[in-house]
Amino acid sequence: QKEVEQDPGPLSVPEGAIVSLNCTYSNSAFQYFMWYRQYSRKGPELLMYTYSSGNKEDGRFTAQVDKSSKYISLFIRDSQPSDSATYLCAINDYKLSFGAGTTVTVRA
Amino acid sequence: DVKVTQSSRYLVKRTGEKVFLECVQDMDHENMFWYRQDPGLGLRLIYFSYDVKMKEKGDIPEGYSVSREKKERFSLILESASTNQTSMYLCASSFQKRETIYEQYFGPGTRLTVT
């Protein structure tokens, strides 16, 4: 079983919509939960992280962790065409385990 | 600004060739990583290094080796390239400080095609 599972999509939404991305993970010992964003022909870059459980908000982005159900989510409010990218969830700390990535397209 | 550079953006090699992929970081990071990225599979860790001359196998080390002779440089070696090693290869680096250990900085990637 993979340590983290992510629906690869793709996902296409109109500008201004809320984007909802999800991952599930298998090991309840994980403490760090990250979201990386990868634009086309670029390497991934850290978007947000959450330590342990709860929510974290950064502008239009909200990351949520539900440790009881081993579920992590990323919400993008008021989505923009510039948000079009692949979003990868990642867990653990030293040796990251990545989800497959979800490709999001925001249509103008 | 953190910079991770990779020696080539695109590379085409023949089956059986020895291939070297180079990665250099300029932030004095202790940790360095090599991943491959394939559609539907995400990033999979090949090898990582937490110090000069130290290396540890990741999830898919078969067919690869690595070298870290200097802190800033981490090389991935395909001893005898095969077509199933056609992929995007990404290098990353990070600090070992506990409070930032989760943040890896990635290079732009090398798209390797083995024919």
Side-chain angles (χ1 to χ4, degrees):
Chain A
Q1 183 189 6
K2 283 192 70 174
E3 288 187 312
V4 58
E5 300 278 358
Q6 181 178 8
D7 185 346
L11 200 61
S12 179
V13 300
E15 185 175 356
I18 294 175
V19 176
S20 173
L21 303 168
N22 305 292
C23 293
T24 57
Y25 63 95
S26 57
N27 189 336
S28 57
F30 293 138
Q31 295 283 358
Y32 288 95
F33 305 91
M34 283 70 69
W35 286 95
Y36 279 75
R37 178 175 60 193
Q38 185 177 21
Y39 289 116
S40 182
R41 290 185 287 278
K42 295 279 181 78
E45 57 181 356
L46 182 67
L47 181 63
M48 294 182 72
Y49 82 95
T50 310
Y51 176 73
S52 194
S53 205
N55 290 6
K56 189 169 187 177
E57 200 170 304
D58 183 2
R60 296 182 294 108
F61 297 86
T62 300
Q64 282 185 354
V65 177
D66 182 346
K67 294 195 82 177
S68 61
S69 57
K70 298 180 192 165
Y71 205 77
I72 57 177
S73 303
L74 179 71
F75 300 98
I76 308 173
R77 291 185 302 280
D78 187 26
S79 58
Q80 304 294 310
S82 58
D83 295 327
S84 298
T86 296
Y87 292 83
L88 302 113
C89 59
I91 54 175
N92 214 347
D93 49 14
Y94 185 95
K95 186 170 79 74
L96 297 181
S97 293
F98 285 88
T102 302
T103 299
V104 174
T105 301
V106 181
R107 307 185 305 271
Chain B
D1 208 18
V2 176
K3 200 159 188 183
V4 180
T5 56
Q6 295 184 229
S7 50
S8 307
R9 291 303 304 271
Y10 300 95
L11 211 52
V12 180
K13 295 291 182 180
R14 294 190 182 276
T15 301
E17 277 194 84
K18 191 168 186 174
V19 182
F20 292 87
L21 302 181
E22 303 283 338
C23 175
V24 178
Q25 50 94 4
D26 66 358
M27 276 301 290
D28 204 33
H29 286 164
E30 295 89 0
N31 303 328
M32 295 189 75
F33 308 83
W34 274 107
Y35 296 89
R36 61 178 284 177
Q37 185 174 30
D38 301 287
L41 296 177
L43 274 76
R44 293 179 291 166
L45 182 64
I46 304 171
Y47 267 97
F48 65 100
S49 169
Y50 53 87
D51 201 355
V52 176
K53 296 192 186 294
M54 304 301 288
K55 61 184 179 185
E56 286 201 27
K57 293 179 180 179
D59 300 318
I60 51 163
E62 297 78 19
Y64 304 94
S65 62
V66 290
S67 172
R68 192 164 180 204
E69 296 297 317
K70 293 185 177 181
K71 190 176 185 180
E72 67 271 18
R73 189 179 296 269
F74 193 34
S75 303
L76 180 69
I77 303 151
L78 287 67
E79 295 290 341
S80 177
S82 63
T83 54
N84 62 13
Q85 293 179 310
T86 291
S87 186
M88 171 70 83
Y89 289 87
L90 288 157
C91 174
S93 67
S94 72
F95 282 119
Q96 278 185 2
K97 287 187 298 187
R98 188 70 199 171
E99 54 271 22
T100 61
I101 200 167
Y102 54 83
E103 183 168 11
Q104 294 188 10
Y105 294 84
F106 284 83
T110 296
R111 183 163 293 283
L112 172 67
T113 301
V114 183
T115 61

